[in-house]
Amino acid sequence: MEKILVIGCSGQIGSELTLELRKIHGDSSVIATDIRPPPVEIAESGPFESLDVLDEAKLQLIVEHENITQIYHLAAILSGNAEKRPLSSWEINMRSLMNVLELAREVKLKKLFWPSSIAVFGPTTPRMNTPQYTVMEPNTVYGISKLAGERWIEYYYQKFGVDTRSLRYPGLISFKTEPGGGTTDYAVEIFYDAIKKKKYKSFLSSESALPMMFMPDAIKATIDVMEADSSRLSLRSSYNVAGMSFTPHMLAEQIKRYIPDFEIKYKPDFRQAIADSWPNSIDDSVAQKDWGLTSDYDLPRMSEVMIREITKKMG
Ligand code: NAD
Ligand code: SER
C-alpha cells in the first residue's frame, strides 16, 4: 500500500493533484503539506500538515512517522516571482529539492515526482517544436533552478537508485486555484477579467506563442508517468509535455466566441523577455512513445470549460 506526501498542496497544481491522488489511493493515504493553509476540500478530505520544505528535520519526521513511500514535491517559486527575488528563490527551489532527494535516498523512498518546466530552455534553443534533447541555456533564475534540478534528479537515479520521475510542464491552465506568479499566468487571468469586466490588459504581446496544457491533462500525465513501469522510462531528467500552443491574440479570439464585446489590450512587462526566451511549441513524442502521453484538450475545448466553470464560480 502506498503512503503519499504532497509538498505544496495549496498551489495551482497541488490543490487538484492531491484530491486526485486521494481518489486513487484513499483519503488517509495522502498527506498534504504546504507552508500556507490548504484549500477547504483538502482540509476536509484528509490529513494536512503545515510544513516549510526547508525544515529538513520536520520533513524527515513526517516521512518517517507516516511511512511515506512516494513524494510529490511541488513547492517552488515560479518564473515571474523568482526574477523579483533571485537568491531566495534559488534557495527555496534548490535546497528544497536537495532536502527531498537526500531524504529519498536515506529512507529508500519508492518514487519521487518533481516537476520541471519549459523554462529549462532559453534564447538559444530552437523555438518551434522544441525537441526533448536540444540546446538548454536558460536565462532566468527559475529556469536555471529547473535545469539544475533535472541534472540532480537524474544523478540521484543513476548514483543512488532513487526512482525519480519528472515532466517539463508548459503553462498550466485551470479554474480551481489561481496560478502562483509565473509568465504563463495571463492565460488564466484573462478568463476572470473577461467574465468580470469584459476586458483584459495582457502583460505579454499579442503574438507571444507559448506551449500550454489544461489541468486535467497535466494531472493525467503526472499520474501516468508515476504509474508507468520503470522499464518504460528511457530518461530520468524530465519529459517534454504540451497539450496545445497559442498566443494571447488567439486566446482572446476564443473568448470572443462567448463574450463578443470582450476587449484585449497589450502592455508587455518584464515577463515578455521571459516568454521570448521560451519555446513556442514543444515536441513531446518521447513521452508519447515511452509511457503513452495523450491530451484531451485543445484551445477551443479548454476555453469552453474555462468560461463555463469560472462563470459558475463567480456566481
Ligand atoms: P504554486 O505557486 O501555485 O504553488 C506552489 C506551492 O508551494 C504554494 O502553495 C506555496 O505555498 C508552496 N510553497 C512555497 N514555498 C514553500 C516552502 N518553503 N515550503 C512548503 N511549501 C511551499 O505553483 P504550481 O503552479 O502549483 O507549481 C507546482 C510545481 O510545478 C512547481 O515546481 C512549478 O515550478 C512547477 N510548474 C508549474 C507550472 C504552471 O504553469 N503552474 C509550469 C511548469 C512547472
Ligand atoms: N507556468 C510556469 C511559469 O510561468 C512555467 O514553468 O513560471
Side-chain angles (χ1 to χ4, degrees):
M1 186 168 143
E2 300 298 335
K3 197 81 187 281
I4 294 170
L5 183 71
V6 179
I7 302 169
C9 73
S10 307
Q12 191 192 9
I13 304 171
S15 58
E16 299 201 37
L17 182 61
T18 304
L19 297 175
E20 198 54 38
L21 290 169
R22 283 184 176 164
K23 271 193 216 154
I24 298 170
H25 298 278
D27 289 344
S28 58
S29 298
V30 180
I31 319 286
T33 69
D34 201 292
I35 203 167
R36 293 189 290 165
V40 179
E41 279 172 289
I42 290 184
E44 287 179 351
S45 62
F48 171 80
E49 290 265 359
S50 177
L51 172 71
D52 179 344
V53 65
L54 299 183
D55 183 344
E56 288 168 64
K58 186 161 183 193
L59 176 65
Q60 180 160 9
L61 198 74
I62 297 174
V63 167
E64 291 182 347
H65 182 253
E66 298 288 348
N67 294 315
I68 295 296
T69 59
Q70 297 185 16
I71 295 180
Y72 288 73
H73 171 27
L74 307 174
I77 306 302
L78 274 74
S79 60
N81 283 347
E83 288 307 292
K84 294 180 201 157
R85 295 182 292 277
L87 292 186
S88 64
S89 301
W90 173 261
E91 167 83 353
I92 292 169
N93 292 359
M94 292 314 299
R95 195 149 71 80
S96 68
L97 177 60
M98 299 317 291
N99 284 351
V100 171
L101 280 170
E102 263 304 281
L103 190 56
R105 180 176 71 81
E106 278 167 31
V107 302
K108 300 198 183 341
L109 195 78
K110 273 210 220 153
K111 280 180 206 171
L112 167 63
F113 179 80
W114 168 85
S116 183
S117 160
I118 51 166
V120 291
F121 301 116
T124 52
T125 301
R127 297 190 72 197
M128 299 302 290
N129 221 18
T130 302
Q132 177 70 45
Y133 297 102
T134 185
V135 181
M136 295 165 92
E137 295 183 319
N139 61 1
T140 61
V141 175
Y142 177 69
I144 299 168
S145 75
K146 289 296 184 188
L147 182 54
E150 286 192 11
R151 299 292 82 227
W152 276 114
I153 62 170
E154 186 185 88
Y155 184 89
Y156 268 71
Y157 172 74
Q158 287 175 347
K159 301 283 174 184
F160 307 122
V162 177
D163 188 345
T164 51
R165 299 174 183 217
S166 177
L167 305 178
R168 288 175 184 153
Y169 290 134
L172 298 182
I173 300 169
S174 63
F175 55 83
K176 285 202 174 154
T177 305
E178 287 176 48
T183 301
T184 56
D185 293 15
Y186 92 86
V188 177
E189 284 174 13
I190 192 173
F191 285 99
Y192 285 90
D193 279 13
I195 292 164
K196 246 190 292 186
K197 308 187 237 168
K198 299 191 177 191
K199 59 182 183 187
Y200 179 65
K201 202 195 292 169
S202 170
F203 60 75
L204 296 186
S205 68
S206 67
E207 301 310 315
S208 279
L210 287 170
M212 301 276 183
M213 198 175 227
F214 197 32
M215 191 60 84
D217 282 336
I219 301 284
K220 179 158 67 79
T222 305
I223 288 168
D224 285 353
V225 79
M226 280 297 270
E227 289 189 347
D229 194 285
S230 179
S231 62
R232 293 178 62 191
L233 306 180
S234 66
L235 60 93
R236 295 298 181 139
S237 49
S238 188
Y239 281 96
N240 274 10
V241 295
M244 60 188 105
S245 192
F246 57 78
T247 63
H249 171 74
M250 288 160 72
L251 183 53
E253 290 303 301
Q254 286 297 322
I255 291 173
K256 282 184 194 164
R257 291 173 57 206
Y258 303 90
I259 306 170
D261 49 349
F262 171 64
E263 278 177 34
I264 183 161
K265 287 197 175 135
Y266 300 96
K267 194 162 187 298
D269 68 11
F270 72 101
R271 288 167 282 191
Q272 184 64 52
I274 302 178
D276 288 344
S277 76
W278 288 355
N280 294 143
S281 57
I282 291 283
D283 172 0
D284 54 20
S285 53
V286 180
Q288 293 177 35
K289 181 169 150 284
D290 280 10
W291 46 273
L293 170 74
T294 54
S295 55
D296 293 330
Y297 291 88
D298 58 9
L299 175 58
R301 194 144 180 248
M302 175 277 288
S303 304
E304 184 199 326
V305 179
M306 287 293 282
I307 294 274
R308 187 182 66 228
E309 294 300 326
I310 294 173
T311 306
K312 229 191 276 172
K313 194 169 147 179
M314 288 167 55

